[in-house]
Amino acid sequence: MSSDQNPFLEYSTRLEARRKTVQRYENQDRLVAYSRLAVVLLFVVALWLSVWQTAISPWWIAAPVGAFLALVVCHARVIENKRRALQAVKFYEDGLARIE
C-alpha cells in the first residue's frame, strides 16, 4: 500500500515535514532575535562614539537604526511563518488523531 493509499502514513509524513519546517523557523527566529540584540549594542557603541567621544559623525547612528528596522520587519515575517507552520502541525496531529 503506497502512502497516497494509506492516510495514516501520508499524514505522518506530512506531519514530520511540517515539524522540520517549524524547527527551521524557530532557528531563524532565534538568529534574528540575536541579530537585533547585536544591532542594539552596535547602536549604543555608535552613540557613545559619536556623542560622548566625538570620534565619529552622528550620522553613523543611522546605520544601526536602519538595520534594526529591517530586522524588525524580517522578524515579523519569520514569526508569522512559524505561526502558520505550527498551525499546519496541529492540523496533521488532529488528522492523525481522527484516523486512529
Side-chain angles (χ1 to χ4, degrees):
M1 186 177 268
S2 69
S3 66
D4 38 323
Q5 295 174 348
N6 183 343
F8 183 83
L9 181 58
E10 183 65 26
Y11 268 55
S12 297
T13 303
R14 291 181 184 190
L15 175 59
E16 186 57 35
R18 296 327 182 266
R19 284 181 175 157
K20 287 179 182 177
T21 300
V22 168
Q23 184 60 49
R24 190 177 79 243
Y25 284 127
E26 285 176 349
N27 291 340
Q28 288 178 2
D29 182 16
R30 191 171 21 264
L31 176 65
V32 174
Y34 285 134
S35 298
R36 286 174 62 176
L37 178 61
V39 168
V40 167
L41 294 174
L42 185 61
F43 171 78
V44 170
V45 168
L47 185 66
W48 180 73
L49 286 173
S50 67
V51 175
W52 288 284
Q53 296 297 312
T54 61
I56 61 173
S57 168
W59 287 104
W60 280 101
I61 295 172
V65 169
F68 185 81
L69 293 175
L71 285 170
V72 166
V73 171
C74 178
H75 204 189
R77 288 181 183 159
V78 169
I79 290 170
E80 177 61 21
N81 289 337
K82 184 173 80 169
R83 184 191 64 77
R84 288 182 181 164
L86 285 168
Q87 283 180 329
V89 165
K90 173 107 174 73
F91 174 82
Y92 286 107
E93 286 173 344
D94 291 347
L96 282 172
R98 283 189 303 272
I99 291 170
E100 290 176 347

